[in-house]
Amino acid sequence: MSPTAGTPGTPGTSGASGTSGAPVAFKAACPDCRARFELDASALRLAIGGSRRATFYSFTCPACGASVRKPAGERIVELLTGGGVSTLRSI
């Protein structure tokens, strides 16, 4: 998972709107169909739980429609929250 701002393929920052003021897009891949794509913040959900196992991000693959759930370490959490992804915090 990595953010991009502005033109696809252009490196971005973890800021809510990137350094150029453009929306942030996140590169992702589907483990089912192996498609690679970019998603905007509204297409992702982040759940921050009380443990590493309970902290993950999820999205629906635009290519095959599969529901994808992946673990989110500290760096991923930082990138997603900074990029405006909706976050659910649980205890």
Side-chain angles (χ1 to χ4, degrees):
M1 173 71 46
S2 62
T4 60
T7 311
T10 304
T13 67
S14 62
S17 58
T19 56
S20 64
V24 176
F26 296 92
K27 292 182 181 181
C30 177
D32 289 351
C33 71
R34 306 237 186 254
R36 294 186 169 277
F37 39 83
E38 289 189 355
L39 299 170
D40 63 13
S42 66
L44 295 157
R45 296 290 177 261
L46 174 63
I48 300 175
S51 69
R52 291 181 121 184
R53 286 187 189 184
T55 301
F56 61 90
Y57 65 97
S58 61
F59 58 90
T60 300
C61 175
C64 71
S67 294
V68 179
R69 177 177 162 163
K70 294 187 175 187
E74 288 181 31
R75 180 70 179 140
I76 297 294
V77 169
E78 181 182 319
L79 290 170
L80 294 177
T81 56
V85 172
S86 294
T87 304
L88 170 67
R89 294 184 188 272
S90 62
I91 298 174

